[in-house]
Amino acid sequence: MVSLSLSYEVHYFESAGRADLPRMMLDVAGAPYKNVFIDFAKWSEVKDTMAFGKVPKLVVSESDGSRKELFETNAIVNYLAEVLGLAPDGGAFARAKAASITSNLCDLEDKLRRTYGLPSVEERHKAHEKHIAETIPTYLKYHERLVEGDFYFGDKVTVADLKLHQMYCLFDDMYAARNPFKTHAAEFTNLNRIIATLAAGPAGEYARNRRDFGRLKWVAERWEWVFDGRSLDES
Amino acid sequence: MTTYELHYFNAAGRGDMSRLLLDFAGASYKNVLVQNADWGTKKDTTPFGKVPVLVIKEADGSTKELAESAAIEAYLAEVLGLVPGSSPFERAEALSVVSAFLDLEDKLRTASTGTTSEERKTAHEKALAETIPMYLKYQERFVRGSYYFGDKVTYADLKLYQIALKLEEMYGDSSPLKTKAADFPKLTKIVETLAAGKAGDYTKNHRIIGVLKWFKDEWKWGFAA
């Protein structure tokens, strides 16, 4: 049961990026939260206020007014999984199994991120074609066989399912109809069932209405992300 | 008593930290070294086609396995008492320190992806001059006592120690923890204290370096002949 004496802030840029999954988790769990958007132009002023010089930052506010801060996406996601009831039942080991799933999907996401900063359209195009044809399906093949029911962990939606959904949305952004979940639908029936169920519920509603702020866009013909019309320098 | 098997290659790599945690905590564990020649057949028996994999054998005879080094390390830290406290927030704070170091390790891996040794050298020299000191600056600021979280060793401290070993292996006396030691007094003290104790014992007696070595003139890791 989500504690309503707690409220959360997600501090990040006005884009999905590394805040997408934390926002999705808070949204799906019905936890009171707000986005605090960081103006990218002012980043150098706020960077040093972050424990490790990076965002996202999660602020947890208690009803007595006290606040605590948590950094690093991985730590934020694992923390929210536990406190929002989005971890599988079974204590430390069960939480670790969920963490292994999210960690492996983050590994895949990191491979994609390394492509973003490649300097030419040709290089980015070639790298993304390899992701679509090989890398993503290879990772997803292992996940397909891990699913133990309607969701990764049986009947209960957990952070593992939401991470999968976040990745699905990312692939939709970049690859549209060539999203490997779709082109390999026959091979990934368990994974697509999870996606379809989530899309029909609160996670889908979050993704359609609160995930995209209109500033970060994928430019398909250039195989790159642009923020307010300018190419990103991956840092 | 719970016993553990850590399945990984004959190398430090992504197995080192888990071995350090098990050894430091005095857990009953053994290394199952995967030879390169056997990896083809073993790969698909693992949850994600990767190692390390931790096999946990409970006293009642049941076994379970866990993959992904980040998940293995956080799990071992929790069950072996190497976290600041039992609450989710405390465990998450320790994970945030470790996660920032994992990010640094990724940057160092990227520095070795250039196709020529010149490119790799340039990337690593930038890491030495800028990236590593920047990451360490934030870490130094975070430390809240004799150790990261006060008086008690946690896996945040052990991660720092493992990073120090890696930087030493890669850069020798050029490791920023040495060249800029005056900038990082708290981190330096943690590393020295751990080196003088059980973590140092692990390094001297149980740490596996195996076949993966840093080739300093090539600025990358490779398999020793």
Side-chain angles (χ1 to χ4, degrees), chain A residues 172-207:
Chain A
D172 252 13
D173 287 346
M174 294 194 289
Y175 310 133
R178 300 180 68 202
N179 181 336
F181 279 86
K182 295 171 178 157
T183 56
H184 294 258
E187 198 182 331
F188 302 137
T189 51
N190 291 333
L191 300 180
N192 276 297
R193 182 177 63 248
I194 293 173
I195 298 301
T197 307
L198 292 179
E205 202 263 327
Y206 158 82

Side-chain angles (χ1 to χ4, degrees), chain A residues 47-48 50-54 69 71-72 75 79 82 92-93 95-96 100 103-104 110 139 142-143 145-146, chain B residues 44 46-50 56 65-68 71 75 78 88-89 91-92 96 99-100 103 106 135 137-138 141:
Chain A
K47 182 177 161 81
D48 272 9
M50 308 298 166
F52 305 104
K54 304 208 183 234
E69 302 185 335
F71 297 89
E72 293 290 316
Y79 171 73
E82 195 170 357
F93 182 74
R95 281 187 273 106
S100 72
S103 173
N104 186 257
D110 279 347
Y139 271 77
Y142 291 101
H143 285 261
R145 75 177 183 186
L146 283 176
Chain B
D44 270 10
T46 68
F48 302 104
K50 293 175 193 276
I56 304 154
E65 65 174 21
L66 190 61
E68 291 289 313
Y75 173 73
E78 186 172 354
F89 190 80
R91 284 186 272 106
S96 73
S99 186
D103 196 32
D106 262 353
Y135 274 77
K137 173 189 89 175
Y138 292 111
R141 185 176 70 170

